[in-house]
Amino acid sequence: VVRAPEGFVFDEYCEDALNVSEVWLVNTERSSVAWPATTASCRGGGSMATLKLKGSFIAGQSYAFVLSPRQNALVTPEWNYWCIELDQESTEPFVGFDIFTFSNAAAHPVVASSVSSGTPSVPVQVSFEPYNTIPGDTGMLRFTAPSQYSFVSCLGELSTEATDPDTIWDPTDLTCNLVNTSSMELTLSGER
């Protein structure tokens, strides 16, 4: 049994989320030994996943596996501890990882005016600082507005200026997908 902090969600059938063959130990001098068991099943529910295993684990050996939740917590949980139970043994709760979130995120209207029905939309300036470098070709930013707002186009008026002159985006570095009327995804093709 794997117990994650509140906010993590495992798929009901999580066999495809389990990886025991390409595993490395992070931030440690130890190495793990080959996974000695086969997985009969993996069932998730909320922040808990139950693995049924066939095989033996040898005392004193280090084992590692990767289990990918369907959803991470949106923010680092206040009680950020994981726990593993196997047969009649369990770990002490151990510290989880920080959820990488943007800092200094804000959305402001570009012009100070009120909008009435039938008035053209007001552009919004969105600013943020990523926790990590967003890699090119895999970086994706989803911007979701409150439900009473709606995007009418994706790139019509998209300005990609940054406060730091070294981080100005070229509009050709972005592709945009209007997910629904209140959500858009921007995919970066250059590292920023």
Side-chain angles (χ1 to χ4, degrees):
V1 174
V2 176
R3 296 180 193 276
E6 186 177 334
F8 288 83
V9 178
F10 292 103
D11 280 323
E12 181 179 356
Y13 299 97
C14 48
E15 288 88 351
D16 291 342
L18 179 65
N19 181 353
V20 296
S21 60
E22 298 174 22
V23 179
W24 60 97
L25 294 178
V26 181
N27 298 329
T28 182
E29 297 294 320
R30 299 176 306 150
S31 61
S32 65
V33 298
W35 189 257
T38 58
T39 306
S41 68
C42 179
R43 297 294 177 263
S47 61
M48 186 172 80
T50 302
L51 296 93
K52 292 202 178 185
L53 306 170
K54 294 180 181 176
S56 299
F57 292 86
I58 300 169
Q61 297 289 325
S62 294
Y63 300 97
F65 63 95
V66 174
L67 181 59
S68 301
R70 175 172 35 99
Q71 172 186 309
N72 284 348
L74 296 177
V75 295
T76 301
E78 192 171 316
W79 200 82
N80 189 20
Y81 292 90
W82 293 66
C83 187
I84 300 172
E85 300 170 18
L86 178 62
D87 197 32
Q88 301 298 313
E89 297 184 26
S90 68
T91 64
E92 291 290 329
F94 53 92
V95 177
F97 54 92
D98 289 335
I99 302 294
F100 301 133
T101 57
F102 294 133
S103 58
N104 298 321
H108 301 283
V110 174
V111 294
S113 68
S114 62
V115 177
S116 61
S117 181
T119 304
S121 61
V122 174
V124 176
Q125 175 187 350
V126 177
S127 58
F128 62 93
E129 292 178 26
Y131 186 87
N132 291 305
T133 298
I134 299 172
D137 297 329
T138 60
M140 191 271 292
L141 171 70
R142 176 176 283 185
F143 180 68
T144 304
S147 61
Q148 62 268 36
Y149 292 87
S150 63
F151 297 113
V152 292
S153 67
C154 208
L155 287 172
E157 293 295 321
L158 182 63
S159 172
T160 54
E161 296 177 11
T163 54
D164 179 352
D166 294 332
T167 59
I168 294 176
W169 291 328
D170 184 323
T172 60
D173 286 347
L174 296 171
T175 56
C176 184
N177 175 35
L178 200 58
V179 177
N180 56 47
T181 59
S182 64
S183 185
M184 71 167 61
E185 293 175 347
L186 300 174
T187 303
L188 308 174
S189 60
E191 223 171 70
R192 296 289 181 248

PDB file of all heavy atoms in Angstrom, residues 128 133-141 160 169-170 172-175 185-192:
ATOM      1  N   PHE A 128       4.366  36.016 -14.187  1.00  0.00           N
ATOM      2  CA  PHE A 128       4.687  34.913 -13.281  1.00  0.00           C
ATOM      3  C   PHE A 128       6.179  34.661 -13.304  1.00  0.00           C
ATOM      4  O   PHE A 128       6.880  35.080 -14.221  1.00  0.00           O
ATOM      5  CB  PHE A 128       3.944  33.630 -13.688  1.00  0.00           C
ATOM      6  CG  PHE A 128       4.304  33.135 -15.056  1.00  0.00           C
ATOM      7  CD1 PHE A 128       5.315  32.191 -15.228  1.00  0.00           C
ATOM      8  CD2 PHE A 128       3.651  33.612 -16.177  1.00  0.00           C
ATOM      9  CE1 PHE A 128       5.663  31.745 -16.496  1.00  0.00           C
ATOM     10  CE2 PHE A 128       3.985  33.168 -17.449  1.00  0.00           C
ATOM     11  CZ  PHE A 128       4.991  32.229 -17.603  1.00  0.00           C
ATOM     12  N   THR A 133      13.302  26.120 -14.643  1.00  0.00           N
ATOM     13  CA  THR A 133      13.355  26.470 -16.048  1.00  0.00           C
ATOM     14  C   THR A 133      12.320  25.634 -16.784  1.00  0.00           C
ATOM     15  O   THR A 133      12.200  24.437 -16.551  1.00  0.00           O
ATOM     16  CB  THR A 133      14.760  26.195 -16.628  1.00  0.00           C
ATOM     17  OG1 THR A 133      15.688  27.030 -15.941  1.00  0.00           O
ATOM     18  CG2 THR A 133      14.813  26.467 -18.122  1.00  0.00           C
ATOM     19  N   ILE A 134      11.559  26.262 -17.656  1.00  0.00           N
ATOM     20  CA  ILE A 134      10.567  25.544 -18.450  1.00  0.00           C
ATOM     21  C   ILE A 134      11.265  25.102 -19.728  1.00  0.00           C
ATOM     22  O   ILE A 134      11.666  25.936 -20.531  1.00  0.00           O
ATOM     23  CB  ILE A 134       9.349  26.428 -18.759  1.00  0.00           C
ATOM     24  CG1 ILE A 134       8.685  26.857 -17.448  1.00  0.00           C
ATOM     25  CG2 ILE A 134       8.353  25.686 -19.649  1.00  0.00           C
ATOM     26  CD1 ILE A 134       7.594  27.889 -17.612  1.00  0.00           C
ATOM     27  N   PRO A 135      11.451  23.794 -19.914  1.00  0.00           N
ATOM     28  CA  PRO A 135      12.230  23.328 -21.065  1.00  0.00           C
ATOM     29  C   PRO A 135      11.497  23.533 -22.385  1.00  0.00           C
ATOM     30  O   PRO A 135      10.281  23.399 -22.464  1.00  0.00           O
ATOM     31  CB  PRO A 135      12.438  21.837 -20.781  1.00  0.00           C
ATOM     32  CG  PRO A 135      11.317  21.480 -19.873  1.00  0.00           C
ATOM     33  CD  PRO A 135      10.965  22.715 -19.087  1.00  0.00           C
ATOM     34  N   GLY A 136      12.271  23.889 -23.408  1.00  0.00           N
ATOM     35  CA  GLY A 136      11.708  24.019 -24.743  1.00  0.00           C
ATOM     36  C   GLY A 136      11.198  22.679 -25.229  1.00  0.00           C
ATOM     37  O   GLY A 136      11.658  21.626 -24.791  1.00  0.00           O
ATOM     38  N   ASP A 137      10.218  22.706 -26.089  1.00  0.00           N
ATOM     39  CA  ASP A 137       9.596  21.531 -26.709  1.00  0.00           C
ATOM     40  C   ASP A 137       8.702  20.735 -25.763  1.00  0.00           C
ATOM     41  O   ASP A 137       7.907  19.943 -26.207  1.00  0.00           O
ATOM     42  CB  ASP A 137      10.626  20.588 -27.347  1.00  0.00           C
ATOM     43  CG  ASP A 137      11.382  21.267 -28.480  1.00  0.00           C
ATOM     44  OD1 ASP A 137      10.799  22.145 -29.151  1.00  0.00           O
ATOM     45  OD2 ASP A 137      12.557  20.935 -28.678  1.00  0.00           O
ATOM     46  N   THR A 138       8.862  20.926 -24.455  1.00  0.00           N
ATOM     47  CA  THR A 138       7.966  20.231 -23.530  1.00  0.00           C
ATOM     48  C   THR A 138       7.258  21.195 -22.599  1.00  0.00           C
ATOM     49  O   THR A 138       6.400  20.780 -21.839  1.00  0.00           O
ATOM     50  CB  THR A 138       8.723  19.192 -22.683  1.00  0.00           C
ATOM     51  OG1 THR A 138       9.729  19.873 -21.921  1.00  0.00           O
ATOM     52  CG2 THR A 138       9.356  18.121 -23.549  1.00  0.00           C
ATOM     53  N   GLY A 139       7.638  22.457 -22.614  1.00  0.00           N
ATOM     54  CA  GLY A 139       7.026  23.428 -21.721  1.00  0.00           C
ATOM     55  C   GLY A 139       5.615  23.770 -22.167  1.00  0.00           C
ATOM     56  O   GLY A 139       5.382  24.111 -23.322  1.00  0.00           O
ATOM     57  N   MET A 140       4.665  23.644 -21.262  1.00  0.00           N
ATOM     58  CA  MET A 140       3.282  23.984 -21.584  1.00  0.00           C
ATOM     59  C   MET A 140       2.722  24.789 -20.431  1.00  0.00           C
ATOM     60  O   MET A 140       2.891  24.437 -19.269  1.00  0.00           O
ATOM     61  CB  MET A 140       2.448  22.723 -21.799  1.00  0.00           C
ATOM     62  CG  MET A 140       1.073  22.973 -22.402  1.00  0.00           C
ATOM     63  SD  MET A 140      -0.240  23.283 -21.229  1.00  0.00           S
ATOM     64  CE  MET A 140      -0.412  21.721 -20.430  1.00  0.00           C
ATOM     65  N   LEU A 141       2.105  25.920 -20.749  1.00  0.00           N
ATOM     66  CA  LEU A 141       1.501  26.793 -19.760  1.00  0.00           C
ATOM     67  C   LEU A 141       0.001  26.810 -20.004  1.00  0.00           C
ATOM     68  O   LEU A 141      -0.447  27.090 -21.110  1.00  0.00           O
ATOM     69  CB  LEU A 141       2.070  28.212 -19.906  1.00  0.00           C
ATOM     70  CG  LEU A 141       1.402  29.313 -19.090  1.00  0.00           C
ATOM     71  CD1 LEU A 141       1.713  29.124 -17.604  1.00  0.00           C
ATOM     72  CD2 LEU A 141       1.910  30.673 -19.551  1.00  0.00           C
ATOM     73  N   THR A 160       3.998  38.866 -26.090  1.00  0.00           N
ATOM     74  CA  THR A 160       4.882  37.982 -25.335  1.00  0.00           C
ATOM     75  C   THR A 160       6.081  38.738 -24.784  1.00  0.00           C
ATOM     76  O   THR A 160       7.207  38.283 -24.857  1.00  0.00           O
ATOM     77  CB  THR A 160       5.350  36.822 -26.228  1.00  0.00           C
ATOM     78  OG1 THR A 160       5.921  37.380 -27.414  1.00  0.00           O
ATOM     79  CG2 THR A 160       4.197  35.900 -26.552  1.00  0.00           C
ATOM     80  N   TRP A 169       9.837  36.615 -25.430  1.00  0.00           N
ATOM     81  CA  TRP A 169       9.492  35.498 -26.292  1.00  0.00           C
ATOM     82  C   TRP A 169       9.213  35.984 -27.696  1.00  0.00           C
ATOM     83  O   TRP A 169       8.623  37.025 -27.916  1.00  0.00           O
ATOM     84  CB  TRP A 169       8.247  34.781 -25.786  1.00  0.00           C
ATOM     85  CG  TRP A 169       8.449  34.051 -24.510  1.00  0.00           C
ATOM     86  CD1 TRP A 169       9.577  33.445 -24.073  1.00  0.00           C
ATOM     87  CD2 TRP A 169       7.463  33.835 -23.507  1.00  0.00           C
ATOM     88  NE1 TRP A 169       9.361  32.862 -22.864  1.00  0.00           N
ATOM     89  CE2 TRP A 169       8.078  33.082 -22.492  1.00  0.00           C
ATOM     90  CE3 TRP A 169       6.132  34.188 -23.362  1.00  0.00           C
ATOM     91  CZ2 TRP A 169       7.411  32.688 -21.355  1.00  0.00           C
ATOM     92  CZ3 TRP A 169       5.466  33.789 -22.224  1.00  0.00           C
ATOM     93  CH2 TRP A 169       6.104  33.055 -21.238  1.00  0.00           C
ATOM     94  N   ASP A 170       9.624  35.210 -28.627  1.00  0.00           N
ATOM     95  CA  ASP A 170       9.262  35.450 -30.012  1.00  0.00           C
ATOM     96  C   ASP A 170       7.918  34.757 -30.227  1.00  0.00           C
ATOM     97  O   ASP A 170       7.771  33.593 -29.869  1.00  0.00           O
ATOM     98  CB  ASP A 170      10.333  34.833 -30.923  1.00  0.00           C
ATOM     99  CG  ASP A 170      10.090  35.126 -32.386  1.00  0.00           C
ATOM    100  OD1 ASP A 170       8.912  35.149 -32.811  1.00  0.00           O
ATOM    101  OD2 ASP A 170      11.076  35.326 -33.097  1.00  0.00           O
ATOM    102  N   THR A 172       6.757  33.318 -32.577  1.00  0.00           N
ATOM    103  CA  THR A 172       6.892  32.054 -33.313  1.00  0.00           C
ATOM    104  C   THR A 172       7.332  30.910 -32.396  1.00  0.00           C
ATOM    105  O   THR A 172       7.306  29.757 -32.798  1.00  0.00           O
ATOM    106  CB  THR A 172       7.886  32.193 -34.484  1.00  0.00           C
ATOM    107  OG1 THR A 172       9.175  32.568 -33.958  1.00  0.00           O
ATOM    108  CG2 THR A 172       7.410  33.244 -35.481  1.00  0.00           C
ATOM    109  N   ASP A 173       7.759  31.231 -31.147  1.00  0.00           N
ATOM    110  CA  ASP A 173       8.133  30.202 -30.171  1.00  0.00           C
ATOM    111  C   ASP A 173       6.916  29.594 -29.491  1.00  0.00           C
ATOM    112  O   ASP A 173       7.048  28.690 -28.683  1.00  0.00           O
ATOM    113  CB  ASP A 173       9.026  30.791 -29.072  1.00  0.00           C
ATOM    114  CG  ASP A 173      10.437  31.083 -29.540  1.00  0.00           C
ATOM    115  OD1 ASP A 173      10.808  30.611 -30.626  1.00  0.00           O
ATOM    116  OD2 ASP A 173      11.152  31.796 -28.815  1.00  0.00           O
ATOM    117  N   LEU A 174       5.720  30.113 -29.767  1.00  0.00           N
ATOM    118  CA  LEU A 174       4.518  29.680 -29.061  1.00  0.00           C
ATOM    119  C   LEU A 174       3.484  29.091 -30.004  1.00  0.00           C
ATOM    120  O   LEU A 174       3.322  29.560 -31.123  1.00  0.00           O
ATOM    121  CB  LEU A 174       3.853  30.878 -28.362  1.00  0.00           C
ATOM    122  CG  LEU A 174       4.628  31.567 -27.268  1.00  0.00           C
ATOM    123  CD1 LEU A 174       3.911  32.843 -26.854  1.00  0.00           C
ATOM    124  CD2 LEU A 174       4.790  30.650 -26.077  1.00  0.00           C
ATOM    125  N   THR A 175       2.829  28.061 -29.532  1.00  0.00           N
ATOM    126  CA  THR A 175       1.605  27.613 -30.180  1.00  0.00           C
ATOM    127  C   THR A 175       0.518  27.689 -29.116  1.00  0.00           C
ATOM    128  O   THR A 175       0.788  27.517 -27.939  1.00  0.00           O
ATOM    129  CB  THR A 175       1.710  26.172 -30.729  1.00  0.00           C
ATOM    130  OG1 THR A 175       2.088  25.301 -29.672  1.00  0.00           O
ATOM    131  CG2 THR A 175       2.724  26.085 -31.852  1.00  0.00           C
ATOM    132  N   GLU A 185      -4.022  26.948 -23.560  1.00  0.00           N
ATOM    133  CA  GLU A 185      -2.713  26.345 -23.345  1.00  0.00           C
ATOM    134  C   GLU A 185      -1.724  26.968 -24.306  1.00  0.00           C
ATOM    135  O   GLU A 185      -1.996  27.065 -25.496  1.00  0.00           O
ATOM    136  CB  GLU A 185      -2.756  24.839 -23.601  1.00  0.00           C
ATOM    137  CG  GLU A 185      -3.582  24.072 -22.611  1.00  0.00           C
ATOM    138  CD  GLU A 185      -3.690  22.594 -22.964  1.00  0.00           C
ATOM    139  OE1 GLU A 185      -3.340  22.202 -24.109  1.00  0.00           O
ATOM    140  OE2 GLU A 185      -4.125  21.840 -22.090  1.00  0.00           O
ATOM    141  N   LEU A 186      -0.584  27.381 -23.778  1.00  0.00           N
ATOM    142  CA  LEU A 186       0.508  27.892 -24.606  1.00  0.00           C
ATOM    143  C   LEU A 186       1.642  26.889 -24.508  1.00  0.00           C
ATOM    144  O   LEU A 186       2.074  26.529 -23.418  1.00  0.00           O
ATOM    145  CB  LEU A 186       0.977  29.256 -24.089  1.00  0.00           C
ATOM    146  CG  LEU A 186      -0.062  30.366 -24.052  1.00  0.00           C
ATOM    147  CD1 LEU A 186       0.516  31.607 -23.380  1.00  0.00           C
ATOM    148  CD2 LEU A 186      -0.531  30.688 -25.445  1.00  0.00           C
ATOM    149  N   THR A 187       2.157  26.433 -25.654  1.00  0.00           N
ATOM    150  CA  THR A 187       3.281  25.509 -25.682  1.00  0.00           C
ATOM    151  C   THR A 187       4.496  26.248 -26.192  1.00  0.00           C
ATOM    152  O   THR A 187       4.452  26.894 -27.236  1.00  0.00           O
ATOM    153  CB  THR A 187       2.968  24.300 -26.589  1.00  0.00           C
ATOM    154  OG1 THR A 187       1.772  23.678 -26.113  1.00  0.00           O
ATOM    155  CG2 THR A 187       4.103  23.298 -26.554  1.00  0.00           C
ATOM    156  N   LEU A 188       5.588  26.183 -25.417  1.00  0.00           N
ATOM    157  CA  LEU A 188       6.821  26.899 -25.749  1.00  0.00           C
ATOM    158  C   LEU A 188       7.727  26.002 -26.577  1.00  0.00           C
ATOM    159  O   LEU A 188       7.876  24.821 -26.303  1.00  0.00           O
ATOM    160  CB  LEU A 188       7.555  27.287 -24.476  1.00  0.00           C
ATOM    161  CG  LEU A 188       6.763  28.040 -23.419  1.00  0.00           C
ATOM    162  CD1 LEU A 188       7.604  28.209 -22.157  1.00  0.00           C
ATOM    163  CD2 LEU A 188       6.331  29.386 -23.938  1.00  0.00           C
ATOM    164  N   SER A 189       8.378  26.578 -27.591  1.00  0.00           N
ATOM    165  CA  SER A 189       9.332  25.791 -28.371  1.00  0.00           C
ATOM    166  C   SER A 189      10.767  26.258 -28.095  1.00  0.00           C
ATOM    167  O   SER A 189      11.692  25.733 -28.654  1.00  0.00           O
ATOM    168  CB  SER A 189       9.019  25.883 -29.864  1.00  0.00           C
ATOM    169  OG  SER A 189       9.090  27.219 -30.291  1.00  0.00           O
ATOM    170  N   GLY A 190      10.949  27.224 -27.236  1.00  0.00           N
ATOM    171  CA  GLY A 190      12.280  27.690 -26.849  1.00  0.00           C
ATOM    172  C   GLY A 190      12.375  27.758 -25.353  1.00  0.00           C
ATOM    173  O   GLY A 190      11.390  28.055 -24.670  1.00  0.00           O
ATOM    174  N   GLU A 191      13.567  27.500 -24.780  1.00  0.00           N
ATOM    175  CA  GLU A 191      13.717  27.491 -23.335  1.00  0.00           C
ATOM    176  C   GLU A 191      13.626  28.902 -22.778  1.00  0.00           C
ATOM    177  O   GLU A 191      14.213  29.830 -23.321  1.00  0.00           O
ATOM    178  CB  GLU A 191      15.082  26.880 -22.978  1.00  0.00           C
ATOM    179  CG  GLU A 191      15.013  25.934 -21.827  1.00  0.00           C
ATOM    180  CD  GLU A 191      16.301  25.195 -21.629  1.00  0.00           C
ATOM    181  OE1 GLU A 191      17.274  25.837 -21.214  1.00  0.00           O
ATOM    182  OE2 GLU A 191      16.316  23.992 -21.878  1.00  0.00           O
ATOM    183  N   ARG A 192      12.888  29.088 -21.685  1.00  0.00           N
ATOM    184  CA  ARG A 192      12.756  30.405 -21.044  1.00  0.00           C
ATOM    185  C   ARG A 192      12.775  30.244 -19.546  1.00  0.00           C
ATOM    186  O   ARG A 192      12.209  29.377 -18.989  1.00  0.00           O
ATOM    187  CB  ARG A 192      11.451  31.101 -21.447  1.00  0.00           C
ATOM    188  CG  ARG A 192      11.394  31.416 -22.911  1.00  0.00           C
ATOM    189  CD  ARG A 192      12.344  32.545 -23.284  1.00  0.00           C
ATOM    190  NE  ARG A 192      12.225  32.831 -24.704  1.00  0.00           N
ATOM    191  CZ  ARG A 192      13.195  32.591 -25.567  1.00  0.00           C
ATOM    192  NH1 ARG A 192      14.292  32.030 -25.222  1.00  0.00           N
ATOM    193  NH2 ARG A 192      13.055  32.916 -26.832  1.00  0.00           N
TER     194      ARG A 192
END
